[in-house]
Amino acid sequence: MRLRVQSSARGASQTANGQGAVDLEDGDSVMTVTAQGQQIEQRVIDQVLYQKMPKGQAPGGKPWIKIDLGKVAAQQGTGNQSMSDPAQSAAYAKAITDKDVTEKGPATVNGVKTTRYRVSVDVAGLPNGEALHKQVGPTLPMDVWLDDEGRMRRQQIDMTVKAPQATQRSSSGASSAPEKVTVRTVMDFTDFGTEVEADEPPAAQVTDMTGKALEQGKGQS
């Protein structure tokens, strides 16, 4: 798996890249993420995110942090979900129905012949759909590239997300209109059948940040 996430707001953009392997059945993944010139090792095991932070940046003096993505998603709905849990983003394709599907034609992805489809996914059919609806609206634009065996070779998701309330203040301190953040996530899948080996880091090397993530989410709601 390779992924690229580009976020844009107020005329500025940031890009993060990741590569690794994901088990699309049980959701576990291992990958390396590069963002803003820094590299992070990341694992997702049973919907728990583990990240090995750059040296000197991990809280608690331990190299790894962990966040229970299930608890955070239940509260916040989404966010940069594609980067935190690539299996969850890939699972969005399971909500595709025959409705609102447009065939865009043939395309070659990483040397493989595919057919590209433009779809509009009903957010209500996604996990935490109610919370997600508040952030992105009733539908989620998505493009998928399928090979001759019906396997997804590429997925592109475009979101326009309302920024947290904490950032929606003008220079005078008055509330302003909700800021919009556009997020494009592109995921490429190759080498189907690869075994994913995701192991939890030793507990003594991990700081649990789930509580802090939940507190931040409450402040943004």
Side-chain angles (χ1 to χ4, degrees), residues 6-35:
Q6 185 170 15
S7 304
S8 301
R10 294 183 176 180
S13 64
Q14 292 184 344
T15 301
N17 295 282
Q19 61 180 6
V22 58
D23 189 323
L24 295 176
E25 290 188 359
D26 66 22
D28 289 356
S29 62
V30 293
M31 62 186 301
T32 301
V33 178
T34 303

Side-chain angles (χ1 to χ4, degrees), residues 70-94:
K71 293 180 180 179
V72 174
Q75 175 181 284
Q76 297 177 252
T78 182
N80 203 351
Q81 185 71 24
S82 57
M83 185 62 76
S84 299
D85 189 357
Q88 183 65 63
S89 290
Y92 287 169
K94 295 180 180 179

Side-chain angles (χ1 to χ4, degrees), residues 195-216:
E195 184 175 350
V196 179
E197 298 182 1
D199 298 320
E200 297 180 6
Q205 298 182 16
V206 179
T207 300
D208 192 340
M209 300 293 290
T210 303
K212 187 173 182 63
L214 291 172
E215 288 178 7
Q216 290 177 340

Side-chain angles (χ1 to χ4, degrees), residues 26-82:
D26 66 22
D28 289 356
S29 62
V30 293
M31 62 186 301
T32 301
V33 178
T34 303
Q36 297 181 340
Q38 296 185 323
Q39 195 172 80
I40 297 173
E41 183 181 344
Q42 174 176 300
R43 306 172 190 174
V44 176
I45 304 168
D46 295 330
Q47 272 205 305
V48 177
L49 168 70
Y50 296 89
Q51 287 186 330
K52 188 174 185 179
M53 310 301 291
K55 188 174 182 179
Q57 294 189 21
K62 301 177 181 179
W64 291 85
I65 65 169
K66 80 172 185 178
I67 297 174
D68 188 321
L69 296 175
K71 293 180 180 179
V72 174
Q75 175 181 284
Q76 297 177 252
T78 182
N80 203 351
Q81 185 71 24
S82 57

Side-chain angles (χ1 to χ4, degrees), residues 118-139:
R118 173 75 48 81
V119 299
S120 182
V121 178
D122 183 359
V123 169
L126 298 176
N128 303 302
E130 183 177 348
L132 189 60
H133 182 281
K134 295 178 181 179
Q135 289 190 302
V136 303
T139 59

